[in-house]
Amino acid sequence: MLAITSSGGCQSHLLTEDLTNAHRHDVVIEELMQLSYDGSDRSNRDSIADSKAAGLDKPADANSDQRPSQRYSLVTAPESTVMAEGMSPASFDDENESEIIELSLAEALQRAMEHSEFITDSASFLSPANRLLDDPQFLQSSFDLEMQKSSRQGVEAALADFDTRLATGFQWGRNSVIQANSNPLSSNFLINDNGTFYGRLDKPLTLGGTVSVIHNINYAGSSQSFTLDPRYTGYLRGEFRQPILAGRGRRLTEIAGPNSSRTRQQGHGVALAELAEQTAELEFKLGAERLLKQTEELYWDYWLAFRVSQNQQAAARSADEVWSRIRTRAATGLTGGEAADEAQAEENYFRRKALADAARLEWEQACERLKHATGIPEDTDQAIVLTDNPIEAPIVFDIQSSKSNGLQNRRELAKQDLQINAIELQLFAAKRLNRPQLDLVSGVQFNGLGDQLLGSENGALPDFVDTDDVGWNVGFEFSMAAGFNRERLNVRYLRLLLTKARTARKLQEQEILHEISFTAKSVQKWSQSVESAKQRLAAAERRLSAAAADFESGRSSLDLYLRSQDSVAQAKIEHAQSTVELTKAQLEFLFRQGVR
């Protein structure tokens, strides 16, 4: 068996190890949550020595043992039941070596996550509606989690609503007024100076109330000599407001945020912000799981494309050998070298060559898709070497246990549970706000005055502490909207939204059960197909052996021999296709259970 390099950096190499990666995806996703996306340099692998092989460009001369002279780079690899000997084009010089990338499935998945700042759909590649090109801001990305935490809907923003608010100001003014004055020694102008310095601190409380500290200092001065002191007056005041009906309670404040009772609007509290962040994390993990699944499918598509190309190239080489033998017989006048046989052999060769060329290009396209998915540069001169094989044996499963796993592990259900929880919290808050507004209001005030601002004997500010001029107030404020129409409609809307979400949750469970049942049948279908393909391949090889013996002895025609060759080539391809489809079906089955 041969593993072949090409100038496009596409190569496949087989190992006989089975895959044991049932829970690989969760590990990769968890590592991704802490990934810095700065890339990582991988060390180069050992080089592969080039050698020459026969080509397919033109038929060999009938009297010569030389085969067509097209160069191929061939590397011996372990035997495989689904991989026939074949050739693949390469443009390496004989004296040069090519670096390779040994790519296991685990490494392919890791590369895909490390080089996927944006989570895209593989189907969008080459699509006119490629959102990465049209509108990338709406694609899921590795930045979304931090953006969610830094947005107005994040926990930090919700906690910021409880920050203490400071408001302060200072104003100074003068007013001059002409007045009638009979005293010629005094001025005809009355000049009044005034100033105000004020400020307040407001702190929302988790119980729904508010504590405030307010100060106000006024200055008044006049040009009249008989103006009485004090020039400075002011007060220092503390206020407390606590809702008793609408807006009361720690739980409501956590859901709707502070001051919800006075605004009569449901805000975005800490509890809802935490659920929003958890939902964003689940959405990111869902996108990462889809990306891993698509990458694994591309990995097996590349595996299959390489083997199809190998089998088609091997069939083309066999067709070339048959044509050469028929031409040799025709040149020497032996039986079996008739003109019809030679023409049929020639036609069969070029048909096989066309299939081999098409398969080679499809393999190269699969290589480009794999490089695109794993972040390998498209112009790399390194050859991709696959080190994992699909599993031919079907997995053993219990359908009831699989369904139970699906209901327990699917992140879509966990996401819907978070949405239901969020709606329930909003409904609770809406009901608590559907009440009259009744607040307890209270305050205490320390008054101060003096002809100086800071004087120790007659200062206004020291008088705030020393004075007996203290005032206080306590009481209630009541307000309500006639009918509570807006609040009542909000409660009704949230009840309908909650009913819809719970109904969707039940339908999601049914959908998941149907998905698991369907994919289980797909596993059974392709398992049977693999067994049938094995039996067909064995029968086709026996037929080819018999047809070759009959053709050499002259008991059968060239047509039967060529048909038997076609049958073996097609049987090998179908066996490889069935093996890959079985692996994909198993992947889909586990994915629908939420365990991959």
Side-chain angles (χ1 to χ4, degrees):
M1 187 190 63
L2 301 174
I4 302 99
T5 61
S6 78
S7 59
C10 299
Q11 177 177 357
S12 184
H13 175 69
L14 296 182
L15 297 180
T16 57
E17 298 177 356
D18 291 337
L19 295 178
T20 57
N21 57 347
H23 302 288
R24 176 184 296 120
H25 294 69
D26 285 339
V27 176
V28 176
I29 292 176
E30 293 302 325
E31 292 177 353
L32 177 66
M33 305 301 292
Q34 303 175 353
L35 202 58
S36 59
Y37 290 100
D38 57 353
S40 60
D41 295 332
R42 296 182 178 268
S43 60
N44 294 329
R45 306 294 187 182
D46 295 334
S47 60
I48 299 179
D50 291 335
S51 60
K52 292 185 178 181
L56 300 175
D57 282 352
K58 58 183 180 179
D61 183 64
N63 299 320
S64 174
D65 293 334
Q66 297 290 333
R67 300 257 59 85
S69 58
Q70 184 177 2
R71 286 176 295 141
Y72 296 89
S73 174
L74 305 179
V75 181
T76 303
E79 293 296 331
S80 172
T81 59
V82 294
M83 184 173 183
E85 292 187 357
M87 297 178 295
S88 179
S91 60
F92 298 120
D93 294 333
D94 295 341
E95 37 299 19
N96 294 336
E97 293 182 346
S98 173
E99 296 177 344
I100 66 172
I101 301 176
E102 291 184 355
L103 192 63
S104 67
L105 180 57
E107 291 173 336
L109 299 180
Q110 185 67 30
R111 277 178 171 268
M113 300 308 296
E114 290 176 353
H115 296 84
S116 296
E117 288 83 358
F118 286 85
I119 297 178
T120 59
D121 187 353
S122 61
S124 64
F125 181 60
L126 299 178
S127 170
N130 190 338
R131 299 189 70 179
L132 182 61
L133 300 178
D134 290 345
D135 208 351
Q137 63 178 341
F138 292 105
L139 285 175
Q140 279 186 303
S141 72
S142 59
F143 311 102
D144 291 349
L145 294 181
E146 288 302 320
M147 290 174 61
Q148 172 67 31
K149 295 178 180 179
S150 304
S151 70
R152 182 63 184 86
Q153 307 300 318
V155 174
E156 293 185 12
L159 291 174
D161 290 337
F162 292 91
D163 290 347
T164 301
R165 304 294 177 181
L166 169 64
T168 186
F170 178 79
Q171 296 182 8
W172 186 266
R174 166 172 286 191
N175 187 29
S176 298
V177 180
I178 299 178
Q179 62 179 355
N181 187 1
S182 59
N183 186 357
L185 299 179
S186 62
S187 174
N188 292 330
F189 290 91
L190 175 61
I191 301 175
N192 294 320
D193 293 327
N194 61 83
T196 302
F197 175 51
Y198 55 90
R200 66 180 297 149
L201 293 172
D202 296 303
K203 171 62 178 177
L205 303 177
T206 57
L207 293 176
T210 304
V211 174
S212 302
V213 178
I214 307 167
H215 78 82
N216 190 298
I217 300 176
N218 298 309
Y219 168 79
S222 176
S223 61
Q224 292 180 346
S225 59
F226 57 85
T227 301
L228 299 178
D229 288 335
R231 293 188 176 186
Y232 294 93
T233 60
Y235 61 86
L236 179 64
R237 179 176 177 81
E239 292 183 350
F240 173 71
R241 176 184 291 267
Q242 175 61 47
I244 298 176
L245 294 179
R248 178 180 63 86
R250 183 187 302 271
R251 188 57 175 162
L252 176 63
T253 306
E254 291 177 349
I255 298 171
N259 304 321
S260 59
S261 62
R262 289 192 294 278
T263 60
R264 310 302 294 180
Q265 293 183 356
Q266 187 173 310
H268 198 78
V270 177
L272 293 180
E274 290 176 347
L275 291 177
E277 289 189 1
Q278 294 175 21
T279 301
E281 183 175 339
L282 275 178
E283 288 177 346
F284 179 75
K285 289 183 177 181
L286 282 170
E289 286 178 348
R290 288 191 291 268
L291 177 63
L292 292 175
K293 176 176 176 290
Q294 293 171 5
T295 303
E296 184 167 350
E297 290 175 341
L298 291 175
Y299 187 93
W300 299 129
D301 288 340
Y302 175 76
W303 188 96
L304 175 62
F306 177 71
R307 278 144 188 80
V308 171
S309 177
Q310 272 199 315
N311 287 321
Q312 294 289 15
Q313 300 259 0
R317 184 174 62 181
S318 297
D320 183 31
E321 292 175 353
V322 171
W323 183 21
S324 177
R325 291 166 58 190
I326 296 299
R327 294 172 65 221
T328 301
R329 289 186 179 186
T332 57
L334 296 177
T335 304
E338 290 78 6
D341 290 339
E342 182 179 355
Q344 185 178 6
E346 180 182 9
E347 183 273 336
N348 180 66
Y349 164 73
F350 284 109
R351 179 177 63 86
R352 277 295 169 190
K353 182 178 182 298
L355 292 175
D357 291 340
R360 183 196 62 193
L361 293 176
E362 290 178 0
W363 165 51
E364 292 177 354
Q365 287 180 331
C367 178
E368 290 300 325
R369 285 188 174 272
L370 184 60
K371 290 195 294 184
H372 175 265
T374 55
I376 300 175
E378 77 286 349
D379 57 350
T380 182
D381 57 355
Q382 291 178 308
I384 299 178
V385 178
L386 300 188
T387 61
D388 283 323
N389 291 325
I391 303 175
E392 295 187 40
I395 59 177
V396 179
F397 60 87
D398 177 71
I399 188 63
Q400 296 303 324
S401 298
S402 300
K403 291 180 178 180
S404 178
N405 289 336
L407 297 179
Q408 293 176 4
N409 300 326
R410 287 291 289 270
R411 299 188 195 273
E412 292 89 345
L413 296 181
K415 176 184 173 183
Q416 186 66 15
D417 288 338
L418 291 177
Q419 293 179 351
I420 292 175
N421 193 6
I423 298 173
E424 290 174 342
L425 294 179
Q426 294 178 60
L427 180 58
F428 171 82
K431 291 180 179 179
R432 294 296 294 269
L433 292 176
N434 190 20
R435 296 177 178 181
Q437 181 71 43
L438 178 63
D439 292 351
L440 169 67
V441 292
S442 60
V444 60
Q445 179 171 311
F446 299 90
N447 299 309
L449 52 87
D451 59 353
Q452 298 179 12
L453 181 61
L454 299 174
S456 59
E457 295 183 357
N458 196 17
L461 291 182
D463 197 34
F464 287 158
V465 180
D466 298 336
T467 184
D468 293 331
D469 297 334
V470 178
W472 60 271
N473 66 281
V474 63
F476 298 91
E477 288 185 1
F478 178 84
S479 65
M480 62 174 292
F484 293 100
N485 291 325
R486 183 176 62 181
E487 292 81 359
R488 179 173 51 82
L489 289 175
N490 189 34
V491 170
R492 180 185 176 188
Y493 168 78
L494 290 173
R495 282 175 175 168
L496 293 173
L497 189 62
L498 180 59
T499 302
K500 178 181 178 180
R502 287 173 174 171
T503 303
R505 178 64 164 75
K506 295 179 181 179
L507 293 178
Q508 284 178 332
E509 290 183 355
Q510 297 178 13
E511 187 79 6
I512 290 173
L513 295 178
H514 283 294
E515 288 179 352
I516 294 174
S517 178
F518 181 86
T519 53
K521 289 180 171 56
S522 295
V523 172
Q524 296 173 352
K525 166 190 170 183
W526 289 111
S527 177
Q528 295 174 0
S529 178
V530 168
E531 293 301 319
S532 298
K534 285 182 180 179
Q535 296 172 1
R536 178 189 174 185
L537 177 57
E541 289 176 341
R542 291 195 302 270
R543 173 188 174 188
L544 175 61
S545 178
D550 290 344
F551 176 69
E552 291 296 335
S553 62
R555 293 194 301 269
S556 66
S557 64
L558 174 65
D559 182 69
L560 293 179
Y561 180 48
L562 295 180
R563 287 177 182 272
S564 63
Q565 285 186 329
D566 286 348
S567 179
V568 169
Q570 188 61 32
K572 290 180 178 180
I573 292 175
E574 289 187 2
H575 183 212
Q577 290 174 338
S578 298
T579 302
V580 169
E581 290 299 330
L582 174 59
T583 303
K584 286 185 176 181
Q586 293 173 346
L587 170 64
E588 189 74 26
F589 180 59
L590 295 175
F591 179 78
R592 297 301 170 179
Q593 296 180 56
V595 298
R596 295 286 304 255

